[in-house]
Amino acid sequence: MTANHAEKILEVRGLTKTYGGEAKKGAKQPTPTLDVLKGIDIDIYRGDVVCLIGPSGCGKSTFLRCLNRLEIPTGGSIKFEGIEVDDAHIDAVRQKMGMVFQHFNLFPHLTVKQNLCLAPELLKLKSKEEASKRAEELLARVGLSDKANVFPKSLSGGIARALAMDPDVILFDEPTSALDPEMVGEVLELMKELAHTGITMLVVTHEMGFAREVSNRVIFIDEGRIQEDEPPQELFSNPKHPRLKAFLSRML
């Protein structure tokens, strides 16, 4: 099940990622290879909220990072809104593909508002006045209006920065894993609100309740491959792959 079959936003074919295999200077043998992604094929449609689940080390975050070339794929192709995601087009792609990291990657020496204004101003997408107005709107949206001029300490500022470029897709790489427990609920509520706006979201997460409640697709990745891709009610109530059954028995 997808949000809108008529509007494909991401198309991934034969995606592979291998680490190692380099012949280091002075070494008799090349470094061992590790195949992290082993041929990922997937289509993502506009408005999809996709949760990527699976055991640690299965390739979830690597897949997410390949989508905007924070990791360079070893093979295969990625198209975003019909454009090949490669070195020639990556700057344009990143303007419409936001990312929220585990540790938020905000500039600690800039205020929350300055972090939001930085990219739109540097890329000349908005004037200083337009960027400032948009930043204030986004801070209000995530409940941080009173934090505009303080230095960033929470994920909510990271989400606001991702929204500052008005992206068509936001990638979330385990966004709650580095948070104090009392902040997890706050952040998940904010992400639920975003999902209801219709923005396309891909979320690597261990929060099974969030995946069940908010996503329209849950994808189980294991051993570098997509093993199941189903609506949440089907995947959680009727898991088919033995590895998924074992994974859910530990997580639920």
Side-chain angles (χ1 to χ4, degrees), residues 142-225:
V142 299
L144 289 177
S145 293
D146 60 334
K147 304 294 184 183
N149 297 313
V150 302
F151 295 96
K153 291 182 180 178
S154 80
L155 176 66
S156 299
I159 293 177
R161 188 186 63 177
L163 289 168
M165 296 290 288
D166 296 319
D168 292 336
V169 174
I170 301 184
L171 312 176
F172 292 85
D173 187 10
E174 299 196 48
T176 60
S177 63
L179 295 179
D180 294 332
E182 61 267 23
M183 284 201 62
V184 171
E186 171 190 327
V187 168
L188 291 177
E189 282 300 317
L190 174 55
M191 292 173 66
K192 289 177 189 177
E193 292 176 20
L194 282 180
H196 293 148
T197 69
I199 193 167
T200 307
M201 297 166 57
L202 278 75
V203 185
V204 172
T205 185
H206 291 290
E207 300 286 343
M208 297 299 109
F210 175 85
R212 187 194 295 265
E213 180 182 350
V214 178
S215 65
N216 70 301
R217 295 167 67 183
V218 179
I219 292 174
F220 174 65
I221 297 179
D222 189 46
E223 297 184 335
R225 294 185 172 91

Side-chain angles (χ1 to χ4, degrees), residues 122-140:
L122 283 178
L123 295 173
K124 302 189 186 307
L125 300 175
K126 289 181 172 65
S127 68
K128 186 173 182 179
E129 292 75 18
E130 290 170 336
S132 177
K133 182 180 178 182
R134 179 61 173 156
E136 290 170 0
E137 291 172 352
L138 291 171
L139 289 170

Side-chain angles (χ1 to χ4, degrees), residues 3-62:
N4 189 340
H5 277 277
E7 293 188 82
K8 188 185 296 183
I9 195 167
L10 269 166
E11 180 181 302
V12 180
R13 294 291 180 270
L15 184 66
T16 62
K17 176 63 180 179
T18 300
Y19 294 102
E22 303 91 358
K24 292 189 176 180
K25 187 176 180 179
K28 294 182 179 180
Q29 299 289 337
T31 58
T33 60
L34 176 63
D35 296 321
V36 178
L37 300 178
K38 302 175 183 177
I40 300 286
D41 295 314
I42 192 172
D43 294 327
I44 304 295
Y45 296 87
R46 194 174 301 277
D48 270 345
V49 177
V50 179
C51 282
L52 304 167
I53 66 171
S56 297
C58 70
K60 305 183 300 294
S61 291
T62 299

Side-chain angles (χ1 to χ4, degrees), residues 35-151:
D35 296 321
V36 178
L37 300 178
K38 302 175 183 177
I40 300 286
D41 295 314
I42 192 172
D43 294 327
I44 304 295
Y45 296 87
R46 194 174 301 277
D48 270 345
V49 177
V50 179
C51 282
L52 304 167
I53 66 171
S56 297
C58 70
K60 305 183 300 294
S61 291
T62 299
F63 167 66
L64 206 71
R65 294 168 68 86
C66 283
L67 294 179
N68 64 359
R69 290 183 79 78
L70 290 175
E71 295 280 0
I72 306 302
T74 304
S77 69
I78 303 168
K79 288 185 178 179
F80 173 62
E81 297 182 332
I83 299 171
E84 196 75 33
V85 179
D86 54 20
D87 287 342
H89 301 105
I90 190 57
D91 288 343
V93 166
R94 285 176 178 161
Q95 289 181 26
K96 287 297 181 182
M97 190 184 292
M99 188 156 188
V100 178
F101 300 87
Q102 288 183 30
H103 298 286
F104 328 139
N105 291 35
L106 295 171
F107 291 107
H109 63 289
L110 300 178
T111 66
V112 171
K113 184 175 178 180
Q114 288 170 336
N115 267 282
L116 268 62
C117 292
L118 184 63
E121 288 182 30
L122 283 178
L123 295 173
K124 302 189 186 307
L125 300 175
K126 289 181 172 65
S127 68
K128 186 173 182 179
E129 292 75 18
E130 290 170 336
S132 177
K133 182 180 178 182
R134 179 61 173 156
E136 290 170 0
E137 291 172 352
L138 291 171
L139 289 170
R141 182 173 174 181
V142 299
L144 289 177
S145 293
D146 60 334
K147 304 294 184 183
N149 297 313
V150 302
F151 295 96

